[in-house]
Amino acid sequence: MSKFFAQGGSDTEEDSDYESEIEDNEVEVNVQADGKKHKYLEDGGGSDSDDSDGQKRVVRSTKDKRFDEMSSTVDQLKNAMKINDWVNLQENFDKINKQLEKVMRAADTEKVPSLYIKALVMLEDFLNQAMANKEAKKKMSSSNAKALNSMKQKLKKNNKQYEELIVKCRESPESEDEKEKEDESEEEDAQRGRKGTGRFEQVEQLTFLTKVAKTPAQKLEIFFSVISAQFDVNPGLSGHMPIAVWKKCVQNMLLILDILTQYPNIVVDDMVEPDENETQKGVDHSGTIRIWGNLVAFLERIDVEFFKSLQLIDPHTREYVERLRDEPMLSVLAQNVQDYLWRARDFKAAAKVALKRVELIYYKPQEVYDAMRKLAELSEDESGEVVEETRGPSSFIVTSELVARRPTFPDNSRAMMDELVSLIYKYGDERTKARAMLCDIYHHALLDEFSTARDLFLMSHLQDNIHHMDVISQILYNRTMAQLGLCAFRVGLIPEGHGCLSELYSGGRIKELLAQGVSQSRYHEKTAEQERLERRRQMPYHMHINLELLEAVHLICAMLLEVPNMASNSHDAKRRVISKTFRRLLEVSERQTFTGPPENVRDHVMAASRALSKGDFQKAFDVITSLDVWKLLKNRESVLGMLNLKIKEEALRTYLFTYSSAYNSLSLDQLTKINERATEARIGGGGLDLPPRRRDNQDYAAGAGGNTNAGRWQDFTQGRQSGVSGRSGYNSGGGRLGQFGTGNYSRDRSGQARRPGSGARSSHMDSSNRMNDSSKPNPTTRDLVL
């Protein structure tokens, strides 16, 4: 009760009714799992006497208080019966009749509590014994004898209106107890979500009822109520369920599966209505018993609470690591639920559970998967401990541990993924299949299986329908495309890698697209509700894709494609652009008056681009390798070796495009010399004994108007660029992957398919032959080969 009402409180019985109406509107002070109260209730929450006692004040519901008052009165009746005090019995009888009205009004029911009926039966039996003992009656005092006679009349008149209930109680007192327990369970379910309901207390009361259940079906039904009450412990969307409560919830789900395994005739179905007759059927019943419940919905809620806890816990603390150690508990629960649904031949529900298992492992490399498998083996003793409460009476229905408490993982993560996605592709609905396909593509890309991932992506046509899917699935699509781009880069497919990543970086909202952060924009203001929704969709820290590595790969791919493109189209009015993002960053970098040493990923790539545009491949490679993100790659040496060859190739290509108008032909020896001395072959620099005008980067195309070879260089350049631009990643409308080949995915720069082992330069032999001036044959030189 509020302290303002407490100051004017009265001890009279009339004031107690007024106080009860006030207490109906009070909210119970919930003591959290860590023992802390709400910050606004820490000070001033109780009276001075409460503070002096040093105890926490818990405001109980009116219903519980009224029922406790009746129980106390029944105890006083028993004490008065022991000493044969009829005066006290008469007073307490009048008192309990008044309390009956308050109890029924607080419970908002017309049903008479069984406690009151038992008290009437007890008084009636004691009264008959007293009236039969005439000697004891003669020895009574006048006041006691008068009270006995008065009590006889009152009890006889009062018991007439409860005659049927009294007869039922005398015939089967145990059945009345069971009915009372069922009523308590129903009342507890009805109190869920109401103001003033103690959530932790309700969980404890329902847990106690599981021990006194008489049949397995009844125990199963109460367990479902316990889990629902545990979900209500944290009703808000901004917080997560306390970890201790979450673990108990998982263990209760495992106990439910134990009961369903031990009694296969019990069927859980969310389409049936709760029926008391079903729960009364005992162990000997051979027919089917249908109980309301939804295992898939409960599992999904447990998974959501686990996900929310990882979102809200600081990832740089030990608490986050300890929380990740609970993942095997979720895995074994999902595995057991899937096995039960498979035995029950509910394949569609089994496919939904299989998707939950896929979402737990699709982002894990093989090394992380092995660590998780070892963790599950080490936690065998912890997961196999007894979880049922030892306090209170022992359970009437004893259930053995029949389902596994430890998950089983194959040695290879790919084998587990194949098994689960095959089940989903066969029995899942459209959304489940789409998400399973995206997870499958992600995992293939994580294992550097680009061709398989690409074929699955193109076969599924997800790029056509992703805009019509929910936001969570769109985030998974973006994550898959990011991982696919990283995979293409690692295997040396630069155009494909740029195509996968270009659309993600086109809007400058990479954090929001991958759900790895919320960035503020000065051009678009978000409402508080939009920010809350975005934060609820954030991925946990251990599932993040490193944004620096992703940006480095995107900009390096753009550099290797755009720098030669800029050199080839330097005099083209309609300059073709492959990467607008890269062009914009390069223009900003070139406008700077003073260029300092590179600090971030962008600075490093811009510095490498300036060196590459001058043909200095060694400097470009050194700048790129100085990035710290390469330590995140397990095959670091092979990736850097591939990158070194690509930078050499594009440096030479850039130099040749820059001086295409200055050469009629080049011998292979001269080309080799340029490649070896590429660090000296800079625009405006020496190293190739160029004339002064040529060092000044002057254009000789106008002066060579009569030379047909110069025009053919331009035609060749345009033909090469049309080949590149035709397969530069996604289109802007559907976000689809570029025109990948249907066979081997390795392609040359002209856009033509290339056989494995064939040289990249052989496909341009026809174009280079047309560059030769037939009027000036030179048997000692060979034509330029790109």
Side-chain angles (χ1 to χ4, degrees), residues 247-258:
K247 291 182 178 180
K248 290 182 179 179
C249 190
V250 173
Q251 299 295 347
N252 288 334
M253 282 289 292
L254 293 174
L255 292 174
I256 288 176
L257 293 171
D258 287 334

mmCIF file with all atom_site columns, all heavy atoms in Angstrom, residues 247-258:
data_model
loop_
_atom_site.group_PDB
_atom_site.id
_atom_site.type_symbol
_atom_site.label_atom_id
_atom_site.label_alt_id
_atom_site.label_comp_id
_atom_site.label_asym_id
_atom_site.label_entity_id
_atom_site.label_seq_id
_atom_site.pdbx_PDB_ins_code
_atom_site.Cartn_x
_atom_site.Cartn_y
_atom_site.Cartn_z
_atom_site.occupancy
_atom_site.B_iso_or_equiv
_atom_site.pdbx_formal_charge
_atom_site.auth_seq_id
_atom_site.auth_comp_id
_atom_site.auth_asym_id
_atom_site.auth_atom_id
_atom_site.pdbx_PDB_model_num
ATOM 1  N N   . LYS A 1 247 ? 17.287 -21.211 -18.304 1.00 0.00 ? 247 LYS A N   1
ATOM 2  C CA  . LYS A 1 247 ? 17.802 -22.581 -18.161 1.00 0.00 ? 247 LYS A CA  1
ATOM 3  C C   . LYS A 1 247 ? 16.735 -23.512 -17.578 1.00 0.00 ? 247 LYS A C   1
ATOM 4  O O   . LYS A 1 247 ? 16.598 -24.662 -18.012 1.00 0.00 ? 247 LYS A O   1
ATOM 5  C CB  . LYS A 1 247 ? 19.050 -22.576 -17.278 1.00 0.00 ? 247 LYS A CB  1
ATOM 6  C CG  . LYS A 1 247 ? 20.252 -21.916 -17.927 1.00 0.00 ? 247 LYS A CG  1
ATOM 7  C CD  . LYS A 1 247 ? 21.467 -21.982 -17.010 1.00 0.00 ? 247 LYS A CD  1
ATOM 8  C CE  . LYS A 1 247 ? 22.691 -21.366 -17.683 1.00 0.00 ? 247 LYS A CE  1
ATOM 9  N NZ  . LYS A 1 247 ? 23.885 -21.416 -16.819 1.00 0.00 ? 247 LYS A NZ  1
ATOM 10 N N   . LYS A 1 248 ? 15.973 -23.016 -16.585 1.00 0.00 ? 248 LYS A N   1
ATOM 11 C CA  . LYS A 1 248 ? 14.895 -23.846 -16.032 1.00 0.00 ? 248 LYS A CA  1
ATOM 12 C C   . LYS A 1 248 ? 13.822 -24.121 -17.080 1.00 0.00 ? 248 LYS A C   1
ATOM 13 O O   . LYS A 1 248 ? 13.237 -25.206 -17.118 1.00 0.00 ? 248 LYS A O   1
ATOM 14 C CB  . LYS A 1 248 ? 14.271 -23.141 -14.821 1.00 0.00 ? 248 LYS A CB  1
ATOM 15 C CG  . LYS A 1 248 ? 15.185 -23.086 -13.605 1.00 0.00 ? 248 LYS A CG  1
ATOM 16 C CD  . LYS A 1 248 ? 14.482 -22.415 -12.443 1.00 0.00 ? 248 LYS A CD  1
ATOM 17 C CE  . LYS A 1 248 ? 15.378 -22.364 -11.217 1.00 0.00 ? 248 LYS A CE  1
ATOM 18 N NZ  . LYS A 1 248 ? 14.723 -21.688 -10.079 1.00 0.00 ? 248 LYS A NZ  1
ATOM 19 N N   . CYS A 1 249 ? 13.604 -23.141 -17.930 1.00 0.00 ? 249 CYS A N   1
ATOM 20 C CA  . CYS A 1 249 ? 12.609 -23.325 -18.998 1.00 0.00 ? 249 CYS A CA  1
ATOM 21 C C   . CYS A 1 249 ? 13.057 -24.415 -19.964 1.00 0.00 ? 249 CYS A C   1
ATOM 22 O O   . CYS A 1 249 ? 12.256 -25.252 -20.394 1.00 0.00 ? 249 CYS A O   1
ATOM 23 C CB  . CYS A 1 249 ? 12.413 -21.995 -19.726 1.00 0.00 ? 249 CYS A CB  1
ATOM 24 S SG  . CYS A 1 249 ? 11.035 -21.976 -20.877 1.00 0.00 ? 249 CYS A SG  1
ATOM 25 N N   . VAL A 1 250 ? 14.346 -24.429 -20.301 1.00 0.00 ? 250 VAL A N   1
ATOM 26 C CA  . VAL A 1 250 ? 14.879 -25.479 -21.181 1.00 0.00 ? 250 VAL A CA  1
ATOM 27 C C   . VAL A 1 250 ? 14.744 -26.844 -20.515 1.00 0.00 ? 250 VAL A C   1
ATOM 28 O O   . VAL A 1 250 ? 14.342 -27.837 -21.154 1.00 0.00 ? 250 VAL A O   1
ATOM 29 C CB  . VAL A 1 250 ? 16.342 -25.177 -21.546 1.00 0.00 ? 250 VAL A CB  1
ATOM 30 C CG1 . VAL A 1 250 ? 16.964 -26.345 -22.310 1.00 0.00 ? 250 VAL A CG1 1
ATOM 31 C CG2 . VAL A 1 250 ? 16.432 -23.906 -22.391 1.00 0.00 ? 250 VAL A CG2 1
ATOM 32 N N   . GLN A 1 251 ? 15.060 -26.914 -19.234 1.00 0.00 ? 251 GLN A N   1
ATOM 33 C CA  . GLN A 1 251 ? 14.949 -28.185 -18.529 1.00 0.00 ? 251 GLN A CA  1
ATOM 34 C C   . GLN A 1 251 ? 13.497 -28.651 -18.429 1.00 0.00 ? 251 GLN A C   1
ATOM 35 O O   . GLN A 1 251 ? 13.224 -29.856 -18.532 1.00 0.00 ? 251 GLN A O   1
ATOM 36 C CB  . GLN A 1 251 ? 15.551 -28.050 -17.118 1.00 0.00 ? 251 GLN A CB  1
ATOM 37 C CG  . GLN A 1 251 ? 17.033 -27.694 -17.099 1.00 0.00 ? 251 GLN A CG  1
ATOM 38 C CD  . GLN A 1 251 ? 17.899 -28.783 -17.696 1.00 0.00 ? 251 GLN A CD  1
ATOM 39 O OE1 . GLN A 1 251 ? 17.446 -29.900 -17.904 1.00 0.00 ? 251 GLN A OE1 1
ATOM 40 N NE2 . GLN A 1 251 ? 19.148 -28.459 -17.980 1.00 0.00 ? 251 GLN A NE2 1
ATOM 41 N N   . ASN A 1 252 ? 12.568 -27.732 -18.267 1.00 0.00 ? 252 ASN A N   1
ATOM 42 C CA  . ASN A 1 252 ? 11.151 -28.114 -18.252 1.00 0.00 ? 252 ASN A CA  1
ATOM 43 C C   . ASN A 1 252 ? 10.717 -28.657 -19.609 1.00 0.00 ? 252 ASN A C   1
ATOM 44 O O   . ASN A 1 252 ? 9.910  -29.594 -19.680 1.00 0.00 ? 252 ASN A O   1
ATOM 45 C CB  . ASN A 1 252 ? 10.292 -26.910 -17.859 1.00 0.00 ? 252 ASN A CB  1
ATOM 46 C CG  . ASN A 1 252 ? 10.424 -26.552 -16.392 1.00 0.00 ? 252 ASN A CG  1
ATOM 47 O OD1 . ASN A 1 252 ? 10.745 -27.404 -15.558 1.00 0.00 ? 252 ASN A OD1 1
ATOM 48 N ND2 . ASN A 1 252 ? 10.192 -25.300 -16.061 1.00 0.00 ? 252 ASN A ND2 1
ATOM 49 N N   . MET A 1 253 ? 11.231 -28.077 -20.677 1.00 0.00 ? 253 MET A N   1
ATOM 50 C CA  . MET A 1 253 ? 10.925 -28.602 -22.012 1.00 0.00 ? 253 MET A CA  1
ATOM 51 C C   . MET A 1 253 ? 11.467 -30.024 -22.171 1.00 0.00 ? 253 MET A C   1
ATOM 52 O O   . MET A 1 253 ? 10.814 -30.896 -22.773 1.00 0.00 ? 253 MET A O   1
ATOM 53 C CB  . MET A 1 253 ? 11.509 -27.686 -23.076 1.00 0.00 ? 253 MET A CB  1
ATOM 54 C CG  . MET A 1 253 ? 10.716 -26.423 -23.322 1.00 0.00 ? 253 MET A CG  1
ATOM 55 S SD  . MET A 1 253 ? 9.156  -26.734 -24.166 1.00 0.00 ? 253 MET A SD  1
ATOM 56 C CE  . MET A 1 253 ? 9.728  -27.253 -25.769 1.00 0.00 ? 253 MET A CE  1
ATOM 57 N N   . LEU A 1 254 ? 12.649 -30.276 -21.639 1.00 0.00 ? 254 LEU A N   1
ATOM 58 C CA  . LEU A 1 254 ? 13.209 -31.623 -21.707 1.00 0.00 ? 254 LEU A CA  1
ATOM 59 C C   . LEU A 1 254 ? 12.371 -32.606 -20.885 1.00 0.00 ? 254 LEU A C   1
ATOM 60 O O   . LEU A 1 254 ? 12.197 -33.771 -21.284 1.00 0.00 ? 254 LEU A O   1
ATOM 61 C CB  . LEU A 1 254 ? 14.656 -31.613 -21.216 1.00 0.00 ? 254 LEU A CB  1
ATOM 62 C CG  . LEU A 1 254 ? 15.658 -30.842 -22.100 1.00 0.00 ? 254 LEU A CG  1
ATOM 63 C CD1 . LEU A 1 254 ? 17.027 -30.787 -21.430 1.00 0.00 ? 254 LEU A CD1 1
ATOM 64 C CD2 . LEU A 1 254 ? 15.770 -31.479 -23.475 1.00 0.00 ? 254 LEU A CD2 1
ATOM 65 N N   . LEU A 1 255 ? 11.839 -32.151 -19.738 1.00 0.00 ? 255 LEU A N   1
ATOM 66 C CA  . LEU A 1 255 ? 10.961 -33.014 -18.945 1.00 0.00 ? 255 LEU A CA  1
ATOM 67 C C   . LEU A 1 255 ? 9.663  -33.325 -19.685 1.00 0.00 ? 255 LEU A C   1
ATOM 68 O O   . LEU A 1 255 ? 9.127  -34.429 -19.600 1.00 0.00 ? 255 LEU A O   1
ATOM 69 C CB  . LEU A 1 255 ? 10.661 -32.340 -17.604 1.00 0.00 ? 255 LEU A CB  1
ATOM 70 C CG  . LEU A 1 255 ? 11.841 -32.213 -16.631 1.00 0.00 ? 255 LEU A CG  1
ATOM 71 C CD1 . LEU A 1 255 ? 11.433 -31.400 -15.414 1.00 0.00 ? 255 LEU A CD1 1
ATOM 72 C CD2 . LEU A 1 255 ? 12.354 -33.577 -16.212 1.00 0.00 ? 255 LEU A CD2 1
ATOM 73 N N   . ILE A 1 256 ? 9.161  -32.341 -20.423 1.00 0.00 ? 256 ILE A N   1
ATOM 74 C CA  . ILE A 1 256 ? 7.972  -32.589 -21.251 1.00 0.00 ? 256 ILE A CA  1
ATOM 75 C C   . ILE A 1 256 ? 8.256  -33.659 -22.287 1.00 0.00 ? 256 ILE A C   1
ATOM 76 O O   . ILE A 1 256 ? 7.442  -34.567 -22.521 1.00 0.00 ? 256 ILE A O   1
ATOM 77 C CB  . ILE A 1 256 ? 7.510  -31.272 -21.904 1.00 0.00 ? 256 ILE A CB  1
ATOM 78 C CG1 . ILE A 1 256 ? 6.878  -30.355 -20.865 1.00 0.00 ? 256 ILE A CG1 1
ATOM 79 C CG2 . ILE A 1 256 ? 6.531  -31.540 -23.046 1.00 0.00 ? 256 ILE A CG2 1
ATOM 80 C CD1 . ILE A 1 256 ? 6.480  -29.004 -21.403 1.00 0.00 ? 256 ILE A CD1 1
ATOM 81 N N   . LEU A 1 257 ? 9.423  -33.571 -22.926 1.00 0.00 ? 257 LEU A N   1
ATOM 82 C CA  . LEU A 1 257 ? 9.782  -34.577 -23.925 1.00 0.00 ? 257 LEU A CA  1
ATOM 83 C C   . LEU A 1 257 ? 9.982  -35.948 -23.281 1.00 0.00 ? 257 LEU A C   1
ATOM 84 O O   . LEU A 1 257 ? 9.696  -36.983 -23.912 1.00 0.00 ? 257 LEU A O   1
ATOM 85 C CB  . LEU A 1 257 ? 11.049 -34.133 -24.662 1.00 0.00 ? 257 LEU A CB  1
ATOM 86 C CG  . LEU A 1 257 ? 10.894 -32.884 -25.539 1.00 0.00 ? 257 LEU A CG  1
ATOM 87 C CD1 . LEU A 1 257 ? 12.246 -32.422 -26.041 1.00 0.00 ? 257 LEU A CD1 1
ATOM 88 C CD2 . LEU A 1 257 ? 9.958  -33.166 -26.703 1.00 0.00 ? 257 LEU A CD2 1
ATOM 89 N N   . ASP A 1 258 ? 10.471 -35.971 -22.035 1.00 0.00 ? 258 ASP A N   1
ATOM 90 C CA  . ASP A 1 258 ? 10.573 -37.254 -21.318 1.00 0.00 ? 258 ASP A CA  1
ATOM 91 C C   . ASP A 1 258 ? 9.193  -37.891 -21.132 1.00 0.00 ? 258 ASP A C   1
ATOM 92 O O   . ASP A 1 258 ? 9.019  -39.100 -21.338 1.00 0.00 ? 258 ASP A O   1
ATOM 93 C CB  . ASP A 1 258 ? 11.236 -37.033 -19.952 1.00 0.00 ? 258 ASP A CB  1
ATOM 94 C CG  . ASP A 1 258 ? 12.728 -36.755 -20.064 1.00 0.00 ? 258 ASP A CG  1
ATOM 95 O OD1 . ASP A 1 258 ? 13.331 -37.193 -21.055 1.00 0.00 ? 258 ASP A OD1 1
ATOM 96 O OD2 . ASP A 1 258 ? 13.271 -36.093 -19.173 1.00 0.00 ? 258 ASP A OD2 1
#
